[in-house]
Amino acid sequence: MNVVKGVAEMKALSRSLKRDGKTIAFVPTMGALHEGHLTLMAEGKKRADVLVASVFVNPTQFGPGEDYKKYTRDTEGDLDKMSQTGVDIAFFPGPEEIYPPGFQTYVEVTELEKPLCGASRPGHFRGVATVVLKLFNIVRPDVAFFGRKDYQQLQVIKRMVRDLDLDVEIVGMPIVREASGLAMSSRNAYLSEEQRTRAVALSKALGEIKRKFDGGERKASVLLESGKRILSDSSAGEIDYLEIRNGDTLEEVMLASPGDVAALAVKVGRARLIDNIEL
Ligand code: AMP
């Protein structure tokens, strides 16, 4: 595995791969890698000649008072996992290279970034879209992999790719969960054992919404109430949102239909956890 830190070096590598007619698969991450990240990489390995995965804790997607400084960093562990998963190029750029002095250009996906996580994390998706576009320009992938766990992020990226005519295929990958149902996340490391047990209610609440939907219930308010009850009965934590929205536009729906998504964010201890289920 080739470990690359410099932006210029990564650009030169992708340029020469393209010249040789190689296809490039790309998985951008913020590190502290777990099975969720690794399934994206394993799929990427199958889909192109060369697999590039990046680790970059992107400062512009964290708001003031969020966990940018405390976000888990585990370079050694990440490198181990990446090489075991068949990553060909591990790209670890530094913040000063991605955001050099004078940096002032941002990408905004104006409507999709507003609801759900965008409402409680203003500027978050602007930071995400900007860094992903930059990474695409540096790595020049043919295909890039994102988890459906970050459902809104996936929609934002897909929209950006369409709107800006980017020449990259975006693949959304299924949510990888622990045996308990808890969606894997780098932020699960913040949870105590007791909080981890309580956090199982998040996937339970979503599972109950889906069960009721599959049973024929369509009223969003009724579906959401059943989910909220599970969250409050298990004292999961402070609910940031629990909503049902159109799966493509993320517009709110009163009556749920197939293709909609039920999504939530809940603060469990100091971890703000997100999860969703597609109806
Ligand atoms: P992150 O390091 O949290 O920025 O995530 C990097 C990529 O991995 C994103 O596309 C995430 O959606 C994806 N990802 C994170 N957790 C999971 C999971 N449990 N299942 C599937 N994909 C995931």
Side-chain angles (χ1 to χ4, degrees), residues 180-223:
S180 65
L182 177 65
M184 289 196 187
S185 163
S186 304
R187 290 190 169 97
N188 291 352
Y190 300 160
L191 300 170
S192 67
E193 272 314 305
E194 185 265 334
Q195 287 165 342
R196 193 174 271 267
T197 308
R198 280 198 275 137
V200 172
L202 277 63
S203 58
K204 284 219 172 96
L206 294 169
E208 177 61 14
I209 289 173
K210 172 122 169 85
R211 201 182 62 77
K212 283 216 156 51
F213 177 82
D214 290 342
E217 180 59 60
R218 289 293 180 267
K219 270 198 204 123
S221 57
V222 175
L223 293 166

Side-chain angles (χ1 to χ4, degrees), residues 98-131:
I98 296 292
Y99 299 109
F103 184 92
Q104 54 190 282
T105 308
Y106 291 89
V107 180
E108 287 190 359
V109 181
T110 55
E111 295 310 307
L112 283 172
E113 70 177 31
K114 275 183 194 153
L116 305 173
C117 286
S120 44
R121 304 185 71 190
H124 170 68
F125 289 111
R126 175 189 197 244
V128 169
T130 302
V131 82

Side-chain angles (χ1 to χ4, degrees), residues 28-30 34 36-37 40 146-147 149-150 153 174-176 184:
T29 80
M30 298 208 300
H34 51 67
H37 299 114
L40 273 56
F146 292 84
K149 163 157 177 292
D150 298 86
Q153 167 173 285
I175 303 176
V176 177
M184 289 196 187

Side-chain angles (χ1 to χ4, degrees), residues 115-118 120-121 148-152 175 177 181-183 198-210 223-224 226-232 234 236-245 250 261-268 271-278:
L116 305 173
C117 286
S120 44
R121 304 185 71 190
R148 305 187 82 83
K149 163 157 177 292
D150 298 86
Y151 191 89
Q152 186 174 14
I175 303 176
R177 301 178 177 280
L182 177 65
R198 280 198 275 137
V200 172
L202 277 63
S203 58
K204 284 219 172 96
L206 294 169
E208 177 61 14
I209 289 173
K210 172 122 169 85
L223 293 166
L224 292 170
S226 68
K228 278 189 186 136
R229 202 167 318 118
I230 290 180
L231 291 174
S232 61
S234 53
E238 185 196 326
I239 303 173
D240 178 358
Y241 63 77
L242 170 58
E243 296 183 34
I244 297 176
R245 290 191 170 248
L250 301 184
V261 61
L264 56 69
V266 177
K267 200 136 186 261
V268 185
R272 181 179 175 283
L273 303 180
I274 59 171
D275 199 353
N276 68 82
I277 201 160
E278 291 168 57

